[in-house]
Amino acid sequence: MVVRFNPSCLTLYHNPHHTAYFSKQVKVRGSYGKHMKKGDLGRPQIVPSVLRNSNSEGVSVFVVSDLHTDYAENLKWVECLPSVKNRNDVLLVAGDVAETYSMFVVTMSLLKERFEHVFYVPGNHDLWCRREGQNYVDSLEKLNKLLDACKRIGVETNPMVIDEIGIIPLFSWYHESFDKEKDITGFRIPSLEMACKDFYACKWPEGLSSGDMALYFDAMNDERMEVIKDVQMTCDHIITFSHFVPRQELCPEKRMLFYPKLPKIIGSDYLEDRIRSIHGAEGRKDASSCHVFGHTHFCWDAVIDGIRYVQAPLAYPRERKRRMNGGENWLPFCLYADNKFADRLNPCYWSDYYSANPRTPQNTKLAPWVARFYKQTETVDV
């Protein structure tokens, strides 16, 4: 996900000046509070997942999103993953692998060399045509070429049962109607078209616009509903995954975001409805429902209405340097092993924050670390 006017819009700046702002304004409670000192957001590191555990019973499922291997540092991270394949290893890649087709093929080939089973869903960056637009009529033609490449490499894009667990990739896109919380007013905030590169980097067939794509991509899942039903009947444990965000509660409130209009370009109601049709309105029994997503580059691990939602993004190099828990050393995250789901991803700043603090979207006063980037609009008394 890229917002042009401010490339840091998706994460907190992590330097002393901005950290001081944050620590004074946001009270964080919960079990991890003892690790924090006034004016300091230093936190324990995430314990790395143990790859290639020969003592593990059954399948092990690892998850990662937003690889963005157009960045040399990110490609290097992929190349440095252990190269000894284990027949029980599954990797779910929740979109935004690379902007160019050639780098996508390189990246997915490297991953398939390292994991027995690799699953993929497309992200918005994967469908950009700005660097190679002459090669594709539109982004949907590029999507078909990416899916064809996956088939040749051996990467799965369809639902499948691996041992005892069901894996269901879900196609998705975002829609502005996803955002149902109060807008920030009184500040000069760039429009979606100015801020989001998708509006010019993606090309859609004549007669379709970005606003049509959430329904278009969701309809692609209808073609696989018979297979999905078989997975539902066969498996007690099911993991669905998408690139985009299924619920607005899985993103910080607008006042906390460097780009307060972000929720309008991150998810759709179609996606959450699709997830609930698979896992059930209240999730499946015994905490066996899980959905993995990406796109916003926020580490997240939370249970909402019986479903566990997880985001484990590699993100951009500059974001990892600012991020409290990095990413190079603990990704991909092992979500499932030894016939059970792993303990929650920890620390996970924003989902930790909301586990201890209520969401208050009616509060539209910009956080200090956000307000300093915007000018207030002038008001004229009449």
Side-chain angles (χ1 to χ4, degrees):
M1 184 70 191
V2 171
V3 175
R4 273 186 292 172
F5 85 99
N6 183 355
S8 348
C9 69
L10 298 178
T11 55
L12 287 174
Y13 279 108
H14 189 42
N15 63 43
H17 180 69
H18 293 92
T19 298
Y21 256 132
F22 191 83
S23 61
K24 290 177 183 177
Q25 297 296 325
V26 180
K27 295 180 180 179
V28 183
R29 302 187 299 272
S31 60
Y32 52 81
K34 62 185 178 181
H35 299 294
M36 302 178 67
K37 299 178 182 179
K38 186 175 182 180
D40 179 22
L41 285 183
R43 309 184 64 217
Q45 291 295 302
I46 293 176
V47 177
S49 299
V50 179
L51 290 170
R52 318 297 180 247
N53 184 355
S54 59
N55 296 320
S56 178
E57 297 180 6
V59 65
S60 295
V61 180
F62 297 85
V63 300
V64 69
S65 71
D66 302 281
L67 292 171
H68 294 290
T69 52
D70 302 291
Y71 290 88
E73 301 97 315
N74 288 17
L75 180 61
K76 184 67 175 178
W77 179 85
V78 173
E79 292 172 338
C80 289
L81 290 172
S83 58
V84 178
K85 200 183 275 190
N86 187 308
R87 67 180 181 84
N88 293 329
D89 283 350
V90 176
L91 177 68
L92 309 186
V93 183
D96 275 7
V97 173
E99 180 178 343
T100 64
Y101 175 85
S102 59
M103 186 55 67
F104 175 88
V105 171
V106 167
T107 304
M108 299 308 289
S109 298
L110 287 169
L111 293 174
K112 191 63 177 71
E113 290 171 2
R114 288 156 172 77
F115 293 85
E116 183 66 23
H117 304 281
V118 178
F119 288 78
Y120 162 77
V121 290
N124 50 313
H125 281 242
D126 300 323
L127 302 188
W128 282 7
C129 298
R130 62 174 185 167
R131 294 186 184 177
E132 46 189 7
Q134 70 279 4
N135 297 335
Y136 313 106
V137 173
D138 53 46
S139 293
L140 294 183
E141 182 182 4
K142 184 177 182 183
L143 171 62
N144 288 331
K145 291 194 175 183
L146 295 179
L147 297 179
D148 287 343
C150 286
K151 189 177 296 185
R152 290 196 305 273
I153 297 167
V155 171
E156 295 293 339
T157 58
N158 291 303
M160 181 178 290
V161 176
I162 306 292
D163 288 356
E164 76 287 348
I165 189 164
I167 307 295
I168 302 179
L170 293 176
F171 292 94
S172 61
W173 201 259
Y174 53 80
H175 194 279
E176 191 171 339
S177 63
F178 178 73
D179 174 21
K180 295 175 177 62
E181 296 182 349
K182 190 173 182 180
D183 283 330
I184 303 293
T185 58
F187 291 87
R188 296 175 180 173
I189 300 172
S191 67
L192 297 176
E193 291 77 11
M194 288 181 61
C196 181
K197 289 186 178 181
D198 292 348
F199 286 92
Y200 73 88
C202 290
K203 297 193 301 183
W204 304 116
E206 186 175 352
L208 290 176
S209 67
S210 182
D212 300 316
M213 301 319 298
L215 182 58
Y216 182 94
F217 277 93
D218 182 66
M220 293 175 66
N221 299 310
D222 288 333
E223 302 170 8
R224 305 179 297 172
M225 282 309 297
E226 290 302 317
V227 180
I228 290 174
K229 288 178 182 177
D230 289 341
V231 173
Q232 289 175 292
M233 295 178 64
T234 304
C235 301
D236 290 329
H237 293 162
I238 294 178
I239 301 174
T240 53
F241 75 107
S242 63
H243 178 65
F244 294 98
V245 183
R247 298 180 67 117
Q248 193 164 356
E249 303 100 304
L250 302 172
C251 180
E253 298 155 76
K254 295 176 184 178
R255 61 193 173 93
M256 308 284 199
L257 297 167
F258 281 104
Y259 184 54
K261 294 182 180 180
L262 180 67
K264 300 180 188 301
I265 50 174
I266 62 172
S268 79
D269 294 334
Y270 301 119
L271 176 56
E272 176 66 3
D273 290 345
R274 181 72 60 174
I275 292 167
R276 292 287 159 178
S277 74
I278 295 169
H279 292 291
E282 298 179 356
R284 297 167 68 88
K285 63 181 181 179
D286 302 325
S288 59
S289 298
C290 187
H291 183 79
V292 176
F293 63 101
H295 191 54
T296 56
H297 297 193
F298 294 119
C299 297
W300 211 283
D301 195 340
V303 176
I304 303 176
D305 295 337
I307 296 179
R308 182 180 179 183
Y309 295 90
V310 175
Q311 181 174 194
L314 183 62
Y316 304 129
R318 62 177 179 269
E319 290 176 322
R320 291 198 300 279
K321 292 175 183 177
R322 292 194 303 266
R323 201 157 62 186
M324 297 167 198
N325 47 23
E328 300 98 330
N329 299 325
W330 58 271
L331 288 169
F333 174 55
C334 185
L335 179 62
Y336 184 92
D338 297 324
N339 303 312
K340 62 182 180 181
F341 283 99
D343 293 337
R344 66 182 302 275
L345 180 55
N346 182 54
C348 216
Y349 185 75
W350 279 112
S351 53
D352 287 354
Y353 172 78
Y354 285 112
S355 70
N357 298 273
R359 193 176 184 89
T360 56
Q362 68 276 12
N363 179 359
T364 58
K365 182 180 179 180
L366 290 181
W369 61 87
V370 178
R372 66 191 303 268
F373 287 100
Y374 292 100
K375 292 183 178 180
Q376 287 186 296
T377 56
E378 296 180 3
T379 57
V380 179
D381 294 331
V382 178

PDB file of all heavy atoms in Angstrom, residues 117-137:
ATOM      1  N   HIS A 117       4.276 -26.387   0.121  1.00  0.00           N
ATOM      2  CA  HIS A 117       3.019 -25.833  -0.384  1.00  0.00           C
ATOM      3  C   HIS A 117       3.042 -24.321  -0.212  1.00  0.00           C
ATOM      4  O   HIS A 117       3.263 -23.821   0.903  1.00  0.00           O
ATOM      5  CB  HIS A 117       1.815 -26.407   0.368  1.00  0.00           C
ATOM      6  CG  HIS A 117       1.737 -27.901   0.358  1.00  0.00           C
ATOM      7  ND1 HIS A 117       1.266 -28.621  -0.725  1.00  0.00           N
ATOM      8  CD2 HIS A 117       2.083 -28.817   1.302  1.00  0.00           C
ATOM      9  CE1 HIS A 117       1.310 -29.907  -0.445  1.00  0.00           C
ATOM     10  NE2 HIS A 117       1.806 -30.060   0.771  1.00  0.00           N
ATOM     11  N   VAL A 118       2.808 -23.594  -1.284  1.00  0.00           N
ATOM     12  CA  VAL A 118       2.724 -22.132  -1.227  1.00  0.00           C
ATOM     13  C   VAL A 118       1.376 -21.722  -1.812  1.00  0.00           C
ATOM     14  O   VAL A 118       0.995 -22.154  -2.899  1.00  0.00           O
ATOM     15  CB  VAL A 118       3.866 -21.452  -2.015  1.00  0.00           C
ATOM     16  CG1 VAL A 118       3.711 -19.934  -1.973  1.00  0.00           C
ATOM     17  CG2 VAL A 118       5.224 -21.859  -1.443  1.00  0.00           C
ATOM     18  N   PHE A 119       0.653 -20.890  -1.064  1.00  0.00           N
ATOM     19  CA  PHE A 119      -0.640 -20.363  -1.505  1.00  0.00           C
ATOM     20  C   PHE A 119      -0.513 -18.846  -1.665  1.00  0.00           C
ATOM     21  O   PHE A 119       0.223 -18.188  -0.932  1.00  0.00           O
ATOM     22  CB  PHE A 119      -1.737 -20.657  -0.479  1.00  0.00           C
ATOM     23  CG  PHE A 119      -2.158 -22.092  -0.413  1.00  0.00           C
ATOM     24  CD1 PHE A 119      -1.381 -23.036   0.249  1.00  0.00           C
ATOM     25  CD2 PHE A 119      -3.340 -22.514  -1.010  1.00  0.00           C
ATOM     26  CE1 PHE A 119      -1.761 -24.361   0.326  1.00  0.00           C
ATOM     27  CE2 PHE A 119      -3.735 -23.842  -0.946  1.00  0.00           C
ATOM     28  CZ  PHE A 119      -2.948 -24.767  -0.273  1.00  0.00           C
ATOM     29  N   TYR A 120      -1.300 -18.294  -2.592  1.00  0.00           N
ATOM     30  CA  TYR A 120      -1.179 -16.863  -2.903  1.00  0.00           C
ATOM     31  C   TYR A 120      -2.534 -16.260  -3.243  1.00  0.00           C
ATOM     32  O   TYR A 120      -3.378 -16.904  -3.874  1.00  0.00           O
ATOM     33  CB  TYR A 120      -0.228 -16.684  -4.090  1.00  0.00           C
ATOM     34  CG  TYR A 120      -0.312 -15.349  -4.793  1.00  0.00           C
ATOM     35  CD1 TYR A 120       0.268 -14.200  -4.245  1.00  0.00           C
ATOM     36  CD2 TYR A 120      -0.991 -15.236  -6.020  1.00  0.00           C
ATOM     37  CE1 TYR A 120       0.173 -12.978  -4.906  1.00  0.00           C
ATOM     38  CE2 TYR A 120      -1.075 -14.020  -6.680  1.00  0.00           C
ATOM     39  CZ  TYR A 120      -0.497 -12.896  -6.111  1.00  0.00           C
ATOM     40  OH  TYR A 120      -0.591 -11.686  -6.759  1.00  0.00           O
ATOM     41  N   VAL A 121      -2.751 -15.029  -2.805  1.00  0.00           N
ATOM     42  CA  VAL A 121      -3.844 -14.189  -3.308  1.00  0.00           C
ATOM     43  C   VAL A 121      -3.245 -12.862  -3.765  1.00  0.00           C
ATOM     44  O   VAL A 121      -2.246 -12.399  -3.212  1.00  0.00           O
ATOM     45  CB  VAL A 121      -4.935 -13.918  -2.241  1.00  0.00           C
ATOM     46  CG1 VAL A 121      -5.714 -15.181  -1.937  1.00  0.00           C
ATOM     47  CG2 VAL A 121      -4.341 -13.315  -0.981  1.00  0.00           C
ATOM     48  N   PRO A 122      -3.823 -12.235  -4.788  1.00  0.00           N
ATOM     49  CA  PRO A 122      -3.241 -10.998  -5.322  1.00  0.00           C
ATOM     50  C   PRO A 122      -3.526  -9.786  -4.444  1.00  0.00           C
ATOM     51  O   PRO A 122      -4.586  -9.667  -3.837  1.00  0.00           O
ATOM     52  CB  PRO A 122      -3.921 -10.854  -6.688  1.00  0.00           C
ATOM     53  CG  PRO A 122      -5.228 -11.573  -6.535  1.00  0.00           C
ATOM     54  CD  PRO A 122      -4.955 -12.714  -5.601  1.00  0.00           C
ATOM     55  N   GLY A 123      -2.538  -8.881  -4.417  1.00  0.00           N
ATOM     56  CA  GLY A 123      -2.708  -7.584  -3.786  1.00  0.00           C
ATOM     57  C   GLY A 123      -2.745  -6.493  -4.835  1.00  0.00           C
ATOM     58  O   GLY A 123      -2.544  -6.748  -6.026  1.00  0.00           O
ATOM     59  N   ASN A 124      -2.973  -5.277  -4.417  1.00  0.00           N
ATOM     60  CA  ASN A 124      -3.084  -4.175  -5.372  1.00  0.00           C
ATOM     61  C   ASN A 124      -1.769  -3.901  -6.099  1.00  0.00           C
ATOM     62  O   ASN A 124      -1.749  -3.655  -7.309  1.00  0.00           O
ATOM     63  CB  ASN A 124      -3.599  -2.903  -4.684  1.00  0.00           C
ATOM     64  CG  ASN A 124      -2.839  -2.545  -3.432  1.00  0.00           C
ATOM     65  OD1 ASN A 124      -2.576  -3.400  -2.572  1.00  0.00           O
ATOM     66  ND2 ASN A 124      -2.478  -1.278  -3.279  1.00  0.00           N
ATOM     67  N   HIS A 125      -0.633  -3.971  -5.405  1.00  0.00           N
ATOM     68  CA  HIS A 125       0.656  -3.715  -6.056  1.00  0.00           C
ATOM     69  C   HIS A 125       0.947  -4.745  -7.135  1.00  0.00           C
ATOM     70  O   HIS A 125       1.584  -4.422  -8.143  1.00  0.00           O
ATOM     71  CB  HIS A 125       1.784  -3.717  -5.018  1.00  0.00           C
ATOM     72  CG  HIS A 125       1.881  -2.458  -4.229  1.00  0.00           C
ATOM     73  ND1 HIS A 125       2.991  -1.645  -4.252  1.00  0.00           N
ATOM     74  CD2 HIS A 125       1.003  -1.858  -3.405  1.00  0.00           C
ATOM     75  CE1 HIS A 125       2.788  -0.595  -3.461  1.00  0.00           C
ATOM     76  NE2 HIS A 125       1.586  -0.716  -2.930  1.00  0.00           N
ATOM     77  N   ASP A 126       0.500  -5.964  -6.927  1.00  0.00           N
ATOM     78  CA  ASP A 126       0.728  -7.010  -7.924  1.00  0.00           C
ATOM     79  C   ASP A 126       0.056  -6.683  -9.250  1.00  0.00           C
ATOM     80  O   ASP A 126       0.490  -7.166 -10.303  1.00  0.00           O
ATOM     81  CB  ASP A 126       0.194  -8.357  -7.409  1.00  0.00           C
ATOM     82  CG  ASP A 126       0.859  -8.795  -6.120  1.00  0.00           C
ATOM     83  OD1 ASP A 126       2.073  -8.552  -5.969  1.00  0.00           O
ATOM     84  OD2 ASP A 126       0.161  -9.366  -5.258  1.00  0.00           O
ATOM     85  N   LEU A 127      -0.988  -5.863  -9.210  1.00  0.00           N
ATOM     86  CA  LEU A 127      -1.762  -5.556 -10.418  1.00  0.00           C
ATOM     87  C   LEU A 127      -1.422  -4.204 -11.015  1.00  0.00           C
ATOM     88  O   LEU A 127      -2.069  -3.767 -11.973  1.00  0.00           O
ATOM     89  CB  LEU A 127      -3.260  -5.627 -10.099  1.00  0.00           C
ATOM     90  CG  LEU A 127      -3.760  -6.969  -9.545  1.00  0.00           C
ATOM     91  CD1 LEU A 127      -5.274  -6.975  -9.457  1.00  0.00           C
ATOM     92  CD2 LEU A 127      -3.270  -8.143 -10.386  1.00  0.00           C
ATOM     93  N   TRP A 128      -0.418  -3.542 -10.480  1.00  0.00           N
ATOM     94  CA  TRP A 128       0.008  -2.259 -11.057  1.00  0.00           C
ATOM     95  C   TRP A 128       0.586  -2.481 -12.453  1.00  0.00           C
ATOM     96  O   TRP A 128       1.303  -3.448 -12.690  1.00  0.00           O
ATOM     97  CB  TRP A 128       1.048  -1.602 -10.175  1.00  0.00           C
ATOM     98  CG  TRP A 128       0.478  -0.928  -8.952  1.00  0.00           C
ATOM     99  CD1 TRP A 128      -0.810  -0.973  -8.504  1.00  0.00           C
ATOM    100  CD2 TRP A 128       1.192  -0.118  -8.017  1.00  0.00           C
ATOM    101  NE1 TRP A 128      -0.941  -0.239  -7.350  1.00  0.00           N
ATOM    102  CE2 TRP A 128       0.262   0.297  -7.030  1.00  0.00           C
ATOM    103  CE3 TRP A 128       2.523   0.298  -7.915  1.00  0.00           C
ATOM    104  CZ2 TRP A 128       0.635   1.115  -5.961  1.00  0.00           C
ATOM    105  CZ3 TRP A 128       2.892   1.114  -6.848  1.00  0.00           C
ATOM    106  CH2 TRP A 128       1.947   1.520  -5.885  1.00  0.00           C
ATOM    107  N   CYS A 129       0.299  -1.547 -13.337  1.00  0.00           N
ATOM    108  CA  CYS A 129       0.783  -1.631 -14.724  1.00  0.00           C
ATOM    109  C   CYS A 129       1.662  -0.443 -15.097  1.00  0.00           C
ATOM    110  O   CYS A 129       2.008  -0.277 -16.274  1.00  0.00           O
ATOM    111  CB  CYS A 129      -0.397  -1.698 -15.690  1.00  0.00           C
ATOM    112  SG  CYS A 129      -1.462  -3.145 -15.483  1.00  0.00           S
ATOM    113  N   ARG A 130       2.046   0.380 -14.158  1.00  0.00           N
ATOM    114  CA  ARG A 130       2.731   1.632 -14.505  1.00  0.00           C
ATOM    115  C   ARG A 130       4.117   1.400 -15.108  1.00  0.00           C
ATOM    116  O   ARG A 130       4.582   2.208 -15.904  1.00  0.00           O
ATOM    117  CB  ARG A 130       2.834   2.539 -13.274  1.00  0.00           C
ATOM    118  CG  ARG A 130       3.641   1.961 -12.125  1.00  0.00           C
ATOM    119  CD  ARG A 130       3.825   2.963 -10.997  1.00  0.00           C
ATOM    120  NE  ARG A 130       4.701   2.419  -9.964  1.00  0.00           N
ATOM    121  CZ  ARG A 130       5.234   3.146  -8.991  1.00  0.00           C
ATOM    122  NH1 ARG A 130       4.964   4.428  -8.916  1.00  0.00           N
ATOM    123  NH2 ARG A 130       6.026   2.577  -8.089  1.00  0.00           N
ATOM    124  N   ARG A 131       4.815   0.340 -14.737  1.00  0.00           N
ATOM    125  CA  ARG A 131       6.161   0.092 -15.257  1.00  0.00           C
ATOM    126  C   ARG A 131       6.157  -0.796 -16.487  1.00  0.00           C
ATOM    127  O   ARG A 131       7.146  -0.858 -17.206  1.00  0.00           O
ATOM    128  CB  ARG A 131       7.036  -0.552 -14.171  1.00  0.00           C
ATOM    129  CG  ARG A 131       7.328   0.341 -12.987  1.00  0.00           C
ATOM    130  CD  ARG A 131       8.312  -0.325 -12.055  1.00  0.00           C
ATOM    131  NE  ARG A 131       8.556   0.455 -10.849  1.00  0.00           N
ATOM    132  CZ  ARG A 131       9.334   0.071  -9.852  1.00  0.00           C
ATOM    133  NH1 ARG A 131       9.967  -1.100  -9.922  1.00  0.00           N
ATOM    134  NH2 ARG A 131       9.497   0.833  -8.782  1.00  0.00           N
ATOM    135  N   GLU A 132       5.088  -1.529 -16.701  1.00  0.00           N
ATOM    136  CA  GLU A 132       5.047  -2.488 -17.804  1.00  0.00           C
ATOM    137  C   GLU A 132       3.674  -2.494 -18.455  1.00  0.00           C
ATOM    138  O   GLU A 132       3.187  -3.530 -18.893  1.00  0.00           O
ATOM    139  CB  GLU A 132       5.420  -3.880 -17.295  1.00  0.00           C
ATOM    140  CG  GLU A 132       4.716  -4.264 -16.003  1.00  0.00           C
ATOM    141  CD  GLU A 132       5.235  -5.548 -15.375  1.00  0.00           C
ATOM    142  OE1 GLU A 132       6.244  -6.099 -15.867  1.00  0.00           O
ATOM    143  OE2 GLU A 132       4.619  -6.000 -14.405  1.00  0.00           O
ATOM    144  N   GLY A 133       3.040  -1.299 -18.481  1.00  0.00           N
ATOM    145  CA  GLY A 133       1.686  -1.200 -19.023  1.00  0.00           C
ATOM    146  C   GLY A 133       1.572  -1.652 -20.463  1.00  0.00           C
ATOM    147  O   GLY A 133       0.521  -2.131 -20.895  1.00  0.00           O
ATOM    148  N   GLN A 134       2.663  -1.514 -21.232  1.00  0.00           N
ATOM    149  CA  GLN A 134       2.616  -1.927 -22.631  1.00  0.00           C
ATOM    150  C   GLN A 134       2.468  -3.438 -22.771  1.00  0.00           C
ATOM    151  O   GLN A 134       2.111  -3.934 -23.844  1.00  0.00           O
ATOM    152  CB  GLN A 134       3.890  -1.464 -23.360  1.00  0.00           C
ATOM    153  CG  GLN A 134       5.166  -2.186 -22.951  1.00  0.00           C
ATOM    154  CD  GLN A 134       5.774  -1.638 -21.657  1.00  0.00           C
ATOM    155  OE1 GLN A 134       5.206  -0.760 -21.025  1.00  0.00           O
ATOM    156  NE2 GLN A 134       6.935  -2.146 -21.297  1.00  0.00           N
ATOM    157  N   ASN A 135       2.706  -4.176 -21.691  1.00  0.00           N
ATOM    158  CA  ASN A 135       2.620  -5.635 -21.742  1.00  0.00           C
ATOM    159  C   ASN A 135       1.216  -6.167 -21.486  1.00  0.00           C
ATOM    160  O   ASN A 135       0.952  -7.345 -21.709  1.00  0.00           O
ATOM    161  CB  ASN A 135       3.572  -6.258 -20.719  1.00  0.00           C
ATOM    162  CG  ASN A 135       5.026  -5.929 -21.010  1.00  0.00           C
ATOM    163  OD1 ASN A 135       5.390  -5.659 -22.150  1.00  0.00           O
ATOM    164  ND2 ASN A 135       5.864  -5.935 -19.987  1.00  0.00           N
ATOM    165  N   TYR A 136       0.331  -5.306 -20.982  1.00  0.00           N
ATOM    166  CA  TYR A 136      -1.002  -5.762 -20.589  1.00  0.00           C
ATOM    167  C   TYR A 136      -2.055  -4.775 -21.069  1.00  0.00           C
ATOM    168  O   TYR A 136      -1.865  -3.567 -20.986  1.00  0.00           O
ATOM    169  CB  TYR A 136      -1.111  -5.901 -19.061  1.00  0.00           C
ATOM    170  CG  TYR A 136       0.050  -6.624 -18.451  1.00  0.00           C
ATOM    171  CD1 TYR A 136       1.024  -5.929 -17.737  1.00  0.00           C
ATOM    172  CD2 TYR A 136       0.196  -8.005 -18.600  1.00  0.00           C
ATOM    173  CE1 TYR A 136       2.101  -6.583 -17.186  1.00  0.00           C
ATOM    174  CE2 TYR A 136       1.277  -8.672 -18.057  1.00  0.00           C
ATOM    175  CZ  TYR A 136       2.239  -7.961 -17.349  1.00  0.00           C
ATOM    176  OH  TYR A 136       3.307  -8.602 -16.817  1.00  0.00           O
ATOM    177  N   VAL A 137      -3.173  -5.306 -21.510  1.00  0.00           N
ATOM    178  CA  VAL A 137      -4.304  -4.451 -21.864  1.00  0.00           C
ATOM    179  C   VAL A 137      -4.816  -3.737 -20.620  1.00  0.00           C
ATOM    180  O   VAL A 137      -5.142  -2.557 -20.644  1.00  0.00           O
ATOM    181  CB  VAL A 137      -5.427  -5.282 -22.506  1.00  0.00           C
ATOM    182  CG1 VAL A 137      -6.677  -4.426 -22.726  1.00  0.00           C
ATOM    183  CG2 VAL A 137      -4.952  -5.904 -23.806  1.00  0.00           C
TER     184      VAL A 137
END
